[in-house]
């Protein structure tokens, strides 16, 4: 360990490089016109977010932390106005984060809505007191007080045409009121909704208004007539509606004609495009990343709460109920970027990606969040059905594992494009899986521990770890079809006759799923046709119909894709069964034979279904379909008794669906547990795998940690010494040492060969939740339940640094592979990125030392040359009071020292004079240096006016400090003067009587 410490530079400090914090907790979201900045409400703050980087560039916050209930950004992006529960309105210069004006809102209850007009001069506020007020912002006065609404006014919107001076509002009575600002009266009431009106959108020509509501309808209003033109049922609660702009190619959304189209966002969690003229939905957004239950639920977790159009960027911004903010391409509705406004409690974090370019976060939800560090773009991973409790990453960074309360573990993989999808799943625990650890050398196993007091080792197949990442953007890619089985053998089939034309056949029914289908039966030989049937006229007609249908199926299968061919064969078989049933009613002599043929036709349909599921190439599918059709023809020939035209009409009358190819995502591969054991008699809190994949360590609530073999989970020993539960366990990357952290506030290091305690680190005042090794195993970093992190050096048991950045338990702690960065996650909803600044600080310190040496040399040269003014200024810049004192003493030693001191002091800047005065306070406390201090104070008092002295920083404290010591110095001088006078008196009285004569003689 000593040799390693000499070659490794120990870390001394980390600095926060990036923050992923909650910036949106519900409410409205607004964008600037250029789409560069986003304004999000967050309790008592409005956060200004840079869309390019996802970072909060400004935080508009109320003084007394009053919750902001409404805010509005002017159309020219210059003014931001906020309204809080204190019933005050504040106007902000948001780029400078400066409040420019505050005034009373004159509402008797908090404001619920706010909006600017197109000219950015009028501001409308709607309150919970049923009142609406209009403000002239530049002139700073209230222009209108509109009364008549019922309940909370939750929606106010100005007419886009400022010449009309109209205001639209809606309250709890589900009515849209139109206010004429010229007369301050309600000129119209638009009534059609039976629930709250949530949004208003104006057409480009400002003649049509579309309103949405929670009553699952949208209403198209003619503003000229003041009446409803139509009601569009949308079958979901709508929270927001926006108009599609006239410019742009929206053909991908089904917009192929010049008519009014709008986009709705509501409880289904998807955007839908509607044609206002035909009242039809022309496009529905598909979100393959969502699981099926989320797509079908009403008012679920994925419901959209807000929607904003950004015309400059051609994007649509949406906010869902989980406070995730998504940005879609307006022309395709494809996801471009996603932000997470609120994380909730962070339970675990890990670096992800070959270059640690991403961070995966587990919060108190079933979804995982993968953040791209550069742009803060977030990918939501669906799969678990309960809260995810722990994460771990394999050594290459592409694969990682997660475990949750849903009793399962999942293996996830990141592709080259940064998209993550689930590749494997393990089921076997009977309770929630609380801890897991991945293998370190090879990506071949995962160890998990559960609340059921069991530990399992899961083997990962090689084809999962060796699988190349796909470019799919979904979390579960669509599987590829399996190769088809061999086609049944047919002996010399007769060529089918030409098929008659069929007019508008109905689409065939979807093929039913077949579990473990048997191989198709061999086709009957052509030498054994159904000659045993009665050769009647109905029989001949049925034979012709069945042959025609089968031939049509075979011909179509030979020229189309695999699924179409097999489906056509299924149609032929179904037609044969139908005609056989019809023939049985009209020909009693062939009823028994018809029943047999119907059963045979069903068998043929099953065979065709099997072919449709397994076919991959057109040629093989054609062969299979032809065989199946031949089988159907042979079976149905003796009994079918229907005219071909009747057969076609009966087939078209069936209400059947076209079989579609499978679009469900691939199910994750199932993992199997190779070893299961019971490691502790209480819950296991942590699991760790050794760097060589040979050992496993566990930590438990029973105050112990244990060591196990990885291949068969055989116990090797127990580490006993903690007084409370052990929360985390980690192997040293280089030594045979195990580190544990406990709720007793200590971190212990243990020897693996004898299970003895090597060192104990004490310093935390709260339970230690996580520990990791850094600096090549020479240091330990620990995090506590009080939000503090401590950096320990193993050699000397010294706590190098304590980091205080979190407000609650730090449950996630991970270092990147280069050991120069950290990521931490806490239950305070913060995810912090830290970078190692040890080397930077060392370099800065070296630069400072070099500069210090140069300045000291320069100061010495100036003193030697008696250039006192520059020497005084340099000494002050170095912030060295003793050096300044030396310069002052050198000046006073000169012949005209006092005058020179005055000249030099008066030439100094104001800040330099303040510094000299501050130094004088210290000098004045020492009797050896008080003369210099008093000289400086005397100079300043003589040449500075009282008004200028009062402008000095800290002048009051300086005077209070100078007075007592100055009085003491004067008292001491007084006593000294009295002593000197007494000495002179004694000297005069001690002279002899002839002393005067003797003095005269001496003088002569």
């Amino acid at each position: 360990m000593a040799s390693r410490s000499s070659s490794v530079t120990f870390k001394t400090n980390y600095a926060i490089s990036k923050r992923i914090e909650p910036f949106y907790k519900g409410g409205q979201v607004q964008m600037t016109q250029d789409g560069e900045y986003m304004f999000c409400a967050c309790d008592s703050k409005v956060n200004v977010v840079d869309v390019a980087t996802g970072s909060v560039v400004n935080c508009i916050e109320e003084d007394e932390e009053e919750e902001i209930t409404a805010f509005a950004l002017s159309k020219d992006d210059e003014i931001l106005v906020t309204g809080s529960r204190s019933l005050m309105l504040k106007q902000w210069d948001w780029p400078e984060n400066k409040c420019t004006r505050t005034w009373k809102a004159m509402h008797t209850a908090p404001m619920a809505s706010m909006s600017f007009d197109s000219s950015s001069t009028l501001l409308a506020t709607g309150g919970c007191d049923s009142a609406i007020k209009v403000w002239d912002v530049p002139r700073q006065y209230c222009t209108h007080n509109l009364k008549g609404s019922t309940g909370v006014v939750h929606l106010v919107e100005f007419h886009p045409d400022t010449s009309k001076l109209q205001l639209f509002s809606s309250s709890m009575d589900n009515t849209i009121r139109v206010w004429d600002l010229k007369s301050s009266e309600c000129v119209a009431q638009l009534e059609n909704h039976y629930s709250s009106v949530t949004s208003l959108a104006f057409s480009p020509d400002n003649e049509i208004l579309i309103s949405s509501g929670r009553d699952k309808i949208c209403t198209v209003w003619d503003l000229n007539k003041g009446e409803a033109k139509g009601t569009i049922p949308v079958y979901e609660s709508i929270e927001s509606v926006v108009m599609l702009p006239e410019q742009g190619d929206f053909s991908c959304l089904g917009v192929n004609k010049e008519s009014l189209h709008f986009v709705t966002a509501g409880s289904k969690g998807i955007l839908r495009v509607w044609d206002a003229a035909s009242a039809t939905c022309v496009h529905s957004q598909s979100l393959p990343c969502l699981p099926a239950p989320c797509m079908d639920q009403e008012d679920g977790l994925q419901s959209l709460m807000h929607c904003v159009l950004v015309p400059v960027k051609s994007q649509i911004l949406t906010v869902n109920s989980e406070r995730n903010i998504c940005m879609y391409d307006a022309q395709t509705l494809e996801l471009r970027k996603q932000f997470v406004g609120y994380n909730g409690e962070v339970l675990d974090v890990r670096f992800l990606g070959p270059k640690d370019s991403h961070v995966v976060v587990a919060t108190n939800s079933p979804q995982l969040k993968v953040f791209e560090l550069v742009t803060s773009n977030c990918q939501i991973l669906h799969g678990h059905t309960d809260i995810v409790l722990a994460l771990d990453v394999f050594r290459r960074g592409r694969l990682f594992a997660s475990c949750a309360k849903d009793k399962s573990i999942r293996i996830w993989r990141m592709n080259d494009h940064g998209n993550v999808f689930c590749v494997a799943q393990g089921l076997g625990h009977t309770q929630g899986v609380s801890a897991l650890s991945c293998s370190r050398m090879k990506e071949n196993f995962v160890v998990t521990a559960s609340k059921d007091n069991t530990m399992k080792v899961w083997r990962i197949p090689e084809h999962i770890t060796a699988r190349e990442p796909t470019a799919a953007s979904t979390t579960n890619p669509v599987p590829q079809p399996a190769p088809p089985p061999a086609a049944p053998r047919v002996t010399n089939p007769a060529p089918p006759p030409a098929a008659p034309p069929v007019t508008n056949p109905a689409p065939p029914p979807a093929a039913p799923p077949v579990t473990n289908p048997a191989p198709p039966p061999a086709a009957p030989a052509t030498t054994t046709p159904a000659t045993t049937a009665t050769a009647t006229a109905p029989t001949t007609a049925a034979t012709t119909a069945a042959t025609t249908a089968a031939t049509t199926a075979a011909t179509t299968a030979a020229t189309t894709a695999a699924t179409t061919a097999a489906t056509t064969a299924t149609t032929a078989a179904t037609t044969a069964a139908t005609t056989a049933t019809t023939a049985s009613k009209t020909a009693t002599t062939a009823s028994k034979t018809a029943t047999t043929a119907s059963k045979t036709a069903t068998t043929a349909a099953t065979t065709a279904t099997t072919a449709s599921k397994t076919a991959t190439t057109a040629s093989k599918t054609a062969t299979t379909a032809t065989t199946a059709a031949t089988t159907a023809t042979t079976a149905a020939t003796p009994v079918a008794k229907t005219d071909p035209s009747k057969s076609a009409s009966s087939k078209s009358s069936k209400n059947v669906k076209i079989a579609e190819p499978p679009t469900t995502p691939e199910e994750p591969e199932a993992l199997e547990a190779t070893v299961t054991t019971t490691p502790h008699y209480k819950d296991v809190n942590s699991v760790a795998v050794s760097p060589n994949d040979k050992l496993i360590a566990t930590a438990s609530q029973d105050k112990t940690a244990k060591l196990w073999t990885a291949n068969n989970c055989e116990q090797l020993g127990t580490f006993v010494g903690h007084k409370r539960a052990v929360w985390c366990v980690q192997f040293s990357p280089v030594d045979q040492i195990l580190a544990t952290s406990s709720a007793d506030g200590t971190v212990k290091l243990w020897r693996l060969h004898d299970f003895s305690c090597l060192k104990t680190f004490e310093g935390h005042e709260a339970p230690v939740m996580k520990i990791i090794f850094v600096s090549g195993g020479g240091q330990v970093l620990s995090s506590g339940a009080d939000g503090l992190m401590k950096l320990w050096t193993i050699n000397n048991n010294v706590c190098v640094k304590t980091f205080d950045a979190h407000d609650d338990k730090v449950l996630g702690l991970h270092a990147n592979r280069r050991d120069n960065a950290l990521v931490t996650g806490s239950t305070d909803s913060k995810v912090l990125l830290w970078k190692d600044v040890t080397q930077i600080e060392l370099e800065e310190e070296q630069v400072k030392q070099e500069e210090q040496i140069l300045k000291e040399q320069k100061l010495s040269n100036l003193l030697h040359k008696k250039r006192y003014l520059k020497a005084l200024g340099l000494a002050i810049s170095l912030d060295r009071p003793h050096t300044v004192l030396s310069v002052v003493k050198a000046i006073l030693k000169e012949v005209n020292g006092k005058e020179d001191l005055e000249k030099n002091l008066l030439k100094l800047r104001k800040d330099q004079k303040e510094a000299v005065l501050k130094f004088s306070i210290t000098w004045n406390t020492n009797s050896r240096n008080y003369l210099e201090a008093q000289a400086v104070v005397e100079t300043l008092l003589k040449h500075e006016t009282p008004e200028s002295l009062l402008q000095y920083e800290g002048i009051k404290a300086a005077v209070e400090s100078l007075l007592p010591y100055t009085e003491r110095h004067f008292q001491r001088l007084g006593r000294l003067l009295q002593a000197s006078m007494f000495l002179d008196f004694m000297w005069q009285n001690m002279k002899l009587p002839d002393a005067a004569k003797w003095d005269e003689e001496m003088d002569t």
Side-chain angles (χ1 to χ4, degrees):
M1 187 181 301
S3 62
R4 183 185 69 251
S5 62
S6 61
S7 60
V8 175
T9 301
F10 287 156
K11 305 182 188 305
T12 59
N13 195 11
Y14 286 92
I16 297 175
S17 60
K18 186 178 180 64
R19 296 174 179 267
I20 303 176
E21 297 178 305
F23 64 85
Y24 173 70
K25 292 186 178 180
Q28 63 186 122
V29 174
Q30 290 193 18
M31 296 281 292
T32 55
Q33 296 299 319
D34 57 6
E36 298 294 334
Y37 296 98
M38 178 170 55
F39 294 77
C40 306
C42 186
D43 294 336
S44 62
K45 300 180 291 186
V46 174
N47 290 313
V48 184
V49 181
D50 187 346
V51 176
T53 62
S55 58
V56 177
V57 296
N58 264 333
C59 182
I60 311 299
E61 188 171 7
E62 292 286 337
D63 296 334
E64 299 179 357
E65 295 188 356
E66 290 284 347
E67 181 183 355
I68 295 178
T69 58
F71 72 91
L73 180 68
S74 61
K75 305 301 182 181
D76 57 4
D77 298 335
E78 295 293 332
I79 301 174
L80 177 70
V81 176
T82 60
S84 64
R85 289 191 177 274
S86 62
L87 307 181
M88 300 292 290
L89 286 169
K90 289 190 176 184
Q91 180 178 328
W92 301 83
D93 180 7
W94 65 268
E96 301 296 332
N97 197 8
K98 181 181 179 181
C99 180
T100 58
R101 181 190 169 205
T102 302
W103 73 96
K104 290 184 179 180
M106 294 194 298
H107 285 278
T108 59
M111 288 155 284
S113 58
M114 193 180 299
S115 178
F116 272 96
D117 73 334
S118 301
S119 64
S120 300
T121 57
L122 296 180
L123 173 70
T125 58
C128 298
D129 55 357
S130 305
I132 302 173
K133 299 184 185 298
V134 182
W135 308 84
D136 189 323
V137 176
R139 299 178 183 178
Q140 303 181 0
Y141 70 95
C142 181
T143 61
H144 299 78
N145 184 14
L146 307 177
K147 296 182 179 180
S149 302
T150 304
V152 178
V153 181
H154 58 267
L155 181 62
V156 289
E157 193 74 34
F158 283 96
H159 194 287
D161 188 356
T162 56
S163 62
K164 293 190 176 182
L165 286 177
Q166 288 184 342
L167 178 69
F168 294 76
S169 68
S170 181
S171 58
M172 302 302 293
D173 58 2
N174 311 327
T175 301
I176 302 173
R177 287 180 168 82
V178 184
W179 303 87
D180 184 5
L181 299 183
K182 296 178 182 179
S183 60
S184 298
E185 294 181 355
C186 179
V187 296
Q189 294 188 19
L190 309 180
E191 299 180 358
N192 191 46
H193 288 277
Y194 297 93
S195 184
S196 298
V197 179
T198 56
S199 180
L200 300 177
F202 294 89
S203 63
D205 57 6
N206 299 327
E207 295 183 355
I208 301 296
L209 172 69
I210 295 182
S211 61
S212 64
R214 296 193 178 103
D215 51 4
K216 303 183 180 183
I217 64 170
C218 288
T219 305
V220 182
W221 304 91
D222 188 337
L223 294 181
N224 294 328
K225 299 180 180 179
E227 60 183 23
K229 292 182 61 177
T231 301
I232 303 175
V234 293
Y235 308 106
E236 64 170 327
S237 297
I238 300 299
E239 295 294 332
S240 190
V241 58
V242 295
M243 289 287 184
L244 282 180
E246 293 180 329
Q247 305 297 327
D249 181 15
F250 299 96
S251 58
C252 295
L253 306 182
V255 180
N256 298 320
K257 57 182 179 178
E258 295 182 358
S259 60
L260 192 63
H261 290 79
F262 61 93
V263 180
T264 59
S267 58
K268 290 188 177 181
I270 60 174
L271 296 175
R272 296 196 291 172
V273 183
W274 299 83
D275 186 349
S278 61
T280 57
C281 177
V282 297
H283 182 80
S284 293
Q285 185 184 28
S286 60
L287 297 178
C289 60
L290 295 182
C294 295
M295 296 290 292
D296 299 333
Q297 63 187 352
E298 180 77 10
D299 296 330
L301 294 176
Q302 301 298 327
S303 60
L304 299 181
M305 310 303 295
H306 195 58
C307 181
V308 177
L309 177 66
V310 187
V312 175
K313 296 280 188 178
S314 186
Q315 291 180 341
I316 295 178
L317 179 144
T318 64
V319 182
N320 65 18
S321 55
E322 284 192 325
R323 289 160 285 192
N324 298 331
I325 302 173
C326 300
M327 306 191 75
Y328 298 97
D329 188 334
Q331 298 181 357
T332 61
L333 296 188
E334 294 181 357
L335 183 64
R336 290 290 177 255
K337 207 167 191 178
Q338 185 169 205
F339 299 104
V340 175
Y342 184 73
N343 282 318
E345 295 184 357
V346 179
L347 305 182
D348 207 352
V349 289
R350 287 291 187 274
F351 279 105
L352 185 63
K355 297 182 180 180
D356 296 321
S357 58
H358 294 68
V359 169
V360 55
V361 180
T363 61
N364 54 345
S365 72
Q367 290 82 35
L368 290 171
K369 300 177 177 66
V370 179
F371 291 91
E372 185 179 1
L373 297 181
V374 176
T375 63
S376 296
N377 185 29
C378 180
Q379 181 182 355
I380 308 296
L381 305 182
H382 298 270
H384 287 288
T385 58
D386 208 335
I387 296 176
V388 180
L389 297 177
L391 302 168
D392 200 10
V393 181
F394 289 92
R395 64 183 183 91
R396 296 179 182 175
R398 288 193 181 276
L399 280 177
F400 71 96
S402 62
C403 62
K405 285 185 177 181
D406 59 3
K407 311 173 189 177
S408 71
I409 67 166
R410 284 179 177 263
I411 308 297
W412 307 81
R413 187 177 186 90
M414 172 183 284
N415 62 12
D416 293 333
H417 302 281
N419 297 318
V420 181
F421 51 93
C422 184
V423 295
Q425 180 184 15
L427 299 173
H429 286 288
T430 59
Q431 294 187 32
V433 186
S434 57
L436 84 165
S437 181
C438 300
S439 56
R440 301 304 175 197
M441 293 186 67
K442 296 182 179 180
E443 301 175 337
N444 56 358
F445 71 91
V446 175
V447 182
T448 60
S450 171
K451 296 292 184 181
D452 58 10
N453 293 339
T454 63
M455 179 175 67
K456 293 180 181 289
V457 179
W458 308 79
R459 291 294 173 186
I460 300 178
E462 292 185 2
H463 65 271
I464 291 181
T465 59
R467 183 186 302 172
E468 289 297 326
T470 64
S473 60
T474 61
T475 55
N476 294 316
V478 178
Q480 299 296 328
R489 183 178 180 182
V490 182
T491 305
N492 297 329
V502 180
T503 305
N504 296 328
V514 180
T515 305
N516 298 327
T526 56
T527 55
T528 58
T531 55
T532 56
T534 306
T536 59
T539 301
T540 303
T543 302
T544 303
T547 303
T548 300
T551 302
T552 303
T555 304
T556 306
T559 57
T560 59
T563 306
T564 307
T567 305
T568 308
T570 306
T571 305
T574 306
T575 304
T578 304
T579 54
T581 304
T582 304
S584 64
K585 292 181 180 181
T586 56
T588 54
T589 57
S591 59
K592 292 183 179 181
T593 308
T595 304
T596 304
S598 177
K599 292 181 179 180
T600 307
T602 303
T603 303
T606 303
T607 304
T609 302
T610 304
S612 69
K613 283 180 171 290
T614 59
T616 57
T617 61
S619 59
K620 292 183 178 181
T621 305
T623 304
T624 305
T626 302
T627 304
T630 304
T631 305
T633 302
T634 305
T637 296
V639 294
K641 300 177 59 178
T642 303
D643 185 73
S645 60
K646 293 182 180 181
S647 175
S649 62
S650 63
K651 180 174 63 177
S652 62
S653 63
K654 291 286 185 179
N655 185 18
V656 294
K657 297 181 179 180
I658 299 176
E660 298 179 353
T663 58
T664 57
E666 178 185 0
E667 289 295 328
E669 184 167 341
L671 300 179
E672 294 184 0
T674 58
V675 183
T676 302
T677 187
T678 304
H680 298 267
Y681 68 92
K682 286 189 177 181
D683 291 347
V684 178
N685 295 326
S686 178
V687 177
V689 177
S690 64
N692 60 2
D693 289 347
K694 293 183 179 180
L695 300 175
I696 298 173
T698 57
S700 172
Q701 290 286 121
D702 61 7
K703 309 176 186 178
T704 65
K706 293 184 180 181
L707 191 65
W708 312 79
T709 59
N711 55 355
N712 55 7
C713 288
E714 179 182 350
Q715 183 175 346
L716 300 178
T718 303
F719 304 93
V720 181
H722 284 292
K723 298 179 181 179
R724 297 184 68 181
V726 184
W727 281 109
C728 187
V729 60
Q730 286 291 337
F731 284 96
S732 170
V734 291
D735 294 323
Q736 294 185 3
I737 292 176
L738 186 74
T740 58
S741 64
S742 170
D744 58 12
T746 63
V747 176
K748 290 181 179 291
L749 300 182
W750 311 80
R751 293 188 181 93
L752 294 182
H753 63 276
D754 59 0
F755 309 103
S756 62
C757 181
L758 180 64
K759 289 178 181 291
T760 300
F761 303 114
E762 298 180 354
H764 282 280
E765 297 180 357
V768 185
M769 310 304 298
K770 290 281 184 174
I771 50 172
I772 58 172
F773 282 91
V774 294
S775 302
Q779 291 179 300
V780 173
L781 190 65
S782 58
S783 64
D786 54 359
L788 298 179
M789 298 190 302
K790 291 182 179 292
L791 180 63
W792 310 85
T793 300
I794 295 177
N795 283 349
N796 52 17
N797 287 30
V798 172
C799 178
V800 179
K801 187 79 173 179
T802 299
F803 306 96
D804 185 8
H806 288 285
D807 302 325
D808 209 340
K809 292 181 287 187
V810 182
L811 300 180
L813 178 62
H814 190 229
N816 65 348
R817 283 184 291 277
R818 296 179 61 186
D819 199 19
N820 61 356
L822 297 173
V823 59
T824 58
S826 171
T827 53
D828 61 3
S829 304
K830 297 179 183 177
V831 176
L832 302 181
L833 277 298
W834 306 73
K835 66 177 181 179
D836 179 16
V837 295
T838 301
Q839 191 63 32
I840 297 175
E841 290 184 347
L842 287 175
E843 294 175 356
E844 291 177 352
E845 187 65 26
Q846 289 178 0
V847 172
K848 288 182 180 179
Q849 290 178 0
E850 293 175 358
E851 292 178 353
Q852 191 83 1
I853 293 173
L854 293 175
K855 288 182 178 181
E856 289 179 356
Q857 182 62 42
K858 184 178 180 180
L859 178 62
S860 178
N861 296 338
L862 292 173
L863 289 175
H864 181 71
K865 297 178 181 179
K866 296 184 179 182
R867 301 172 63 179
Y868 297 119
L869 180 60
K870 289 188 177 181
L872 196 61
L874 183 58
I876 294 173
S877 66
L878 291 173
D879 194 19
R880 298 179 65 175
H882 182 71
T883 305
V884 176
L885 178 62
S886 301
V887 176
V888 173
K889 285 183 176 182
I891 296 174
L892 291 176
K893 286 180 181 180
E894 296 294 328
V895 178
N896 298 321
K898 199 168 184 180
E899 292 78 4
D900 293 342
L901 179 62
E902 291 181 358
K903 292 178 182 179
N904 290 320
L905 286 178
L906 293 177
K907 291 180 180 180
L908 295 177
R909 301 189 307 269
K910 179 184 176 183
D911 59 325
Q912 293 176 330
K913 292 178 183 179
E914 293 175 352
V916 174
L917 180 60
K918 182 180 178 182
F919 296 156
S920 300
I921 298 173
T922 305
W923 304 339
N924 198 45
T925 60
N926 193 332
S927 60
R928 296 179 180 179
N929 304 323
Y930 81 95
L931 290 176
E932 291 77 10
Q934 292 298 325
V936 170
V937 173
E938 180 186 1
T939 302
L940 293 177
L941 291 176
K942 285 173 62 177
H943 298 280
E944 295 287 340
T945 63
E947 290 78 10
S948 62
L949 285 174
L950 289 174
Q951 300 300 323
Y952 279 25
E953 183 180 357
I955 186 64
K956 182 179 179 181
V959 172
E960 291 176 352
S961 301
L962 285 169
L963 282 176
Y965 284 98
T966 302
E967 292 176 357
R968 186 180 302 177
H969 294 320
F970 273 110
Q971 292 174 4
R972 184 165 53 84
L973 288 174
R975 291 193 300 268
L976 183 60
L977 180 59
Q978 291 177 1
S980 63
M981 292 177 64
F982 177 75
L983 181 62
D984 184 64
F985 172 76
M986 292 297 295
W987 168 252
Q988 295 295 332
N989 290 333
M990 288 175 63
K991 291 182 178 180
L992 298 175
D994 56 349
K997 183 180 179 180
W998 182 78
D999 289 340
E1000 292 178 359
E1001 292 178 353
M1002 291 296 296
D1003 292 339
T1004 57

